[in-house]
Amino acid sequence: MKENSKPREISHESDESALDKENQAENKNAQNLGKLDLMTSQMTHKEDRTFFAKENVNPLTHAFDKKSTVHAGLGGKPVDPSRMAAVWDELMEIPRNQQTALYVHIPFCRNHCLYCGFYLNPVTAMSSKIYTDALIREMALDVDKKANTQYPIHAVYLGGGTPTVLDPWDLKRLLKAIRSFFPLANDCEITVETTVFDLNEEILSSALEGGANRFSVGVQTFDTTIRKNLGRTCDTDAIIKNLIRARDTDNAVTVIDLIYGLPGQTMSVWGKDIELFQSLELDGVDLYQLNTFKGSPLEKALNKGRLPPAATIPQQALMFKRGVSMMSNAHYGRLSMSHWGRETRERNLYNLLMKKGAPCLSLGSGAGGSLHGYGCFTTNRLAPYLTALETGNKPLAALMAYPEQRPVINSITGALEVGHLNLSGIKQKHQFDLARVCAPLLEQWEKVGLIRQKGDWIDLTVAGQFWQVNLAQALIDYCHKNS
Ligand code: SF4
């Protein structure tokens, strides 16, 4: 449902020849669907990669032709399937020692939203009870392992798919099981991702009784016509009513996602979306750019003229700027380049931890996490997922060993996500002179208006904020090439 949950094409430095065909297909799916695999990217290390921005153009709208990736990072190397179980057991015996997240994947949806490349299974694919039982069995598998027990968990995220398609009773017992199996920090952020459609009394009460303290609601736009075109069912009045119901529990944070650049969404509609969000006095909002994935139902519908045109990249850039300006004028706090909070109740902790490359334990069919330098992915096929658990095994589809530069990469992506990067901080922490290695790049970006350098600090301009993922990926690739 979120931008950061969209699948992306990846390439990595790997030798997959040992994998059999089925495993290759599954690993690829798992990698594509691993929501938390922040370190994969579309990079190819080609010599001709463009690191520098265009000159003599408006940097906001034309610094680059397109976004270079969805999440900046550097690929990893897959562990041979014959060694995965043993490597996993070793990883689970190493205690964690830093802020950590737990991601739980519920891979079912009521319908397939046109723009979403993350749809996996219809809600009828498996009973709520069977899947919830399986998740609890998966938790129990590693319950005593040091990686689970020996350090607090600071953010839990139930995502998908749509976690609220579970029966209310199952949602509550799932949340309670998480709280009993894992050492959650006293101030742990516990988010349940949901659609507007599911925000009914029963689901809200069950989630709250289970311990949820944050609802992340995929609204995308309040405009009924645009929503219906995209396969979202609720109209504007129903959205408002349901969001107010969640807000008025006053027992959890309520944040929403809005997307700019949707088919038929003019600048005026976009402005109204933000105004309406602000009028509801919810706790926070993500403003995401529409990504039209190659071969997606949305791309096909647009190409066949079945939908009004979506915004071009330069138009999206102007919509981003409008959003930044409206949120700033209304005095919302900027928690990341795409997220704002109304008051201190909203922390956006899970997303910030992911951008920093924090460890993430993961559960569920199609889930992705990371632990001790490895990306971990469970199978996205329901039958093998259940079978593995019935035989007492973690349903792993792939483990990826991340490159040794990952800590530096994490520092770069985490810093640019919040709009500023401290060069001497990176040098002290990683003994890596980013300022020296990337000097030509930083100089050119400052010249064209993407960044401002003040002493040791690099601040992104509004143009740089729009192209933040390109800048992060370019820094990573440039360092990789030149150090
Ligand atoms: S509800 Fe729609 S946007 Fe959310 S995961 Fe399912 S198909 Fe995607």
Side-chain angles (χ1 to χ4, degrees):
M1 293 161 75
K2 288 172 171 295
E3 186 178 83
N4 71 355
S5 67
K6 304 296 187 287
R8 50 269 182 197
E9 295 164 19
I10 62 170
S11 65
H12 47 74
E13 303 155 334
S14 65
D15 176 5
E16 291 183 320
S17 58
L19 301 177
D20 64 40
K21 255 187 176 167
E22 189 187 8
N23 272 336
Q24 280 194 35
E26 178 158 310
N27 286 350
K28 194 160 212 161
N29 275 338
Q31 289 153 23
N32 282 343
L33 292 164
K35 186 168 188 174
L36 306 177
D37 178 21
L38 300 181
M39 309 317 296
T40 54
S41 75
Q42 298 175 347
M43 66 172 289
T44 58
H45 301 305
K46 282 182 185 160
E47 288 302 309
D48 62 354
R49 186 180 174 89
T50 305
F51 300 112
F52 296 92
K54 288 188 200 156
E55 301 193 3
N56 304 315
V57 293
N58 178 342
L60 173 68
T61 52
H62 288 89
F64 301 95
D65 288 331
K66 59 177 184 173
K67 295 288 176 86
S68 57
T69 182
V70 177
H71 303 293
L74 199 58
K77 186 171 181 185
V79 171
D80 189 283
S82 64
R83 293 188 54 244
M84 275 196 311
V87 173
W88 175 255
D89 285 343
E90 282 169 27
L91 293 176
M92 289 306 291
E93 286 303 345
I94 305 170
R96 293 172 290 109
N97 60 1
Q98 54 181 308
Q99 280 201 312
T100 301
L102 167 66
Y103 177 73
V104 185
H105 196 58
I106 317 291
F108 309 101
C109 297
R110 295 193 193 283
N111 56 331
H112 186 172
C113 307
L114 209 54
Y115 56 87
C116 180
F118 219 62
Y119 173 87
L120 258 187
N121 304 295
V123 72
T124 48
M126 181 177 279
S127 91
S128 169
K129 180 178 182 313
I130 290 174
Y131 191 70
T132 307
D133 286 346
L135 283 171
I136 294 172
R137 208 173 299 140
E138 193 181 352
M139 288 178 214
L141 272 183
D142 293 317
V143 66
D144 295 326
K145 305 279 174 64
K146 289 179 185 151
N148 265 355
T149 58
Q150 298 215 344
Y151 202 77
I153 287 176
H154 300 82
V156 174
Y157 197 95
L158 269 63
T162 313
T164 46
V165 300
L166 293 179
D167 291 343
W169 162 253
D170 288 323
L171 181 61
K172 181 158 90 176
R173 73 187 176 98
L174 174 61
L175 284 159
K176 287 195 163 177
I178 290 168
R179 291 170 69 205
S180 76
F181 276 104
F182 293 95
L184 303 194
N186 283 358
D187 64 346
C188 185
E189 178 187 271
I190 305 175
T191 303
V192 175
E193 193 174 65
T194 180
T195 60
V196 178
F197 180 85
D198 285 333
L199 280 177
N200 56 55
E201 294 284 1
E202 217 185 344
I203 280 286
L204 285 169
S205 318
S206 299
L208 292 171
E209 284 163 22
N213 54 29
R214 187 170 180 267
F215 295 107
S216 176
V217 191
V219 172
Q220 324 311 3
T221 174
F222 289 95
D223 187 285
T224 302
T225 308
I226 298 174
R227 287 176 59 78
K228 295 229 155 118
N229 278 343
L230 296 170
R232 308 289 287 210
T233 48
C234 292
D235 63 18
T236 311
D237 291 344
I239 299 171
I240 293 171
K241 192 170 145 210
N242 288 5
L243 287 175
I244 288 175
R245 181 183 292 129
R247 180 198 70 187
D248 287 352
T249 62
D250 206 10
N251 207 357
V253 165
T254 303
V255 300
I256 68 169
D257 294 349
L258 292 175
I259 294 181
Y260 54 91
L262 293 165
Q265 186 189 37
T266 60
M267 184 67 93
S268 159
V269 171
W270 175 235
K272 282 185 190 146
D273 277 337
I274 297 174
E275 271 171 21
L276 191 41
F277 156 74
Q278 291 176 349
S279 74
L280 292 173
E281 300 197 335
L282 302 171
D283 297 291
V285 66
D286 276 297
L287 304 185
Y288 286 135
Q289 176 184 14
L290 177 70
N291 283 304
T292 307
F293 295 100
K294 220 172 164 50
S296 66
L298 177 60
E299 189 195 52
K300 286 178 192 154
L302 286 167
N303 287 346
K304 287 184 179 159
R306 291 207 303 264
L307 290 174
T312 61
I313 298 277
Q315 287 166 341
Q316 287 183 335
L318 295 172
M319 292 171 113
F320 171 78
K321 186 179 176 194
R322 174 90 185 269
V324 170
S325 161
M326 288 181 72
M327 296 307 294
S328 163
N329 290 343
H331 300 287
Y332 280 73
R334 187 93 181 253
L335 298 178
S336 78
M337 292 302 89
S338 58
H339 192 89
W340 285 260
R342 191 167 67 89
E343 290 177 348
T344 51
R345 194 176 200 184
E346 164 58 349
R347 295 181 292 160
N348 196 34
L349 185 58
Y350 173 82
N351 287 328
L352 290 174
L353 286 177
M354 292 304 90
K355 293 290 180 184
K356 283 197 257 183
C360 180
L361 304 173
S362 57
L363 301 166
S365 173
S370 68
L371 187 63
H372 304 314
Y374 285 80
C376 322
F377 306 91
T378 44
T379 174
N380 60 22
R381 294 184 299 152
L382 291 170
Y385 174 75
L386 289 187
T387 306
L389 289 170
E390 274 157 18
T391 51
N393 295 305
K394 178 83 176 173
L396 287 171
L399 281 181
M400 305 275 289
Y402 289 134
E404 60 183 357
Q405 306 95 321
R406 181 173 157 89
V408 185
I409 293 168
N410 288 343
S411 288
I412 293 172
T413 54
L416 293 189
E417 178 65 16
V418 292
H420 44 259
L421 184 150
N422 185 272
L423 292 165
S424 58
I426 299 247
K427 193 171 179 182
Q428 273 166 23
K429 189 168 177 188
H430 304 291
Q431 290 75 54
F432 179 73
D433 197 345
L434 185 70
R436 183 186 59 75
V437 174
C438 294
L441 208 51
L442 298 175
E443 196 180 309
Q444 200 255 356
W445 289 350
E446 181 157 38
K447 186 175 133 200
V448 302
L450 291 170
I451 62 171
R452 275 188 298 268
Q453 292 202 65
K454 284 186 234 150
D456 278 343
W457 285 94
I458 289 176
D459 290 336
L460 301 185
T461 62
V462 173
Q465 292 165 17
F466 179 71
W467 295 107
Q468 178 255 124
V469 73
N470 288 52
L471 303 189
Q473 190 63 57
L475 279 179
I476 292 164
D477 292 353
Y478 197 82
C479 291
H480 187 78
K481 190 178 164 197
N482 294 294
S483 58

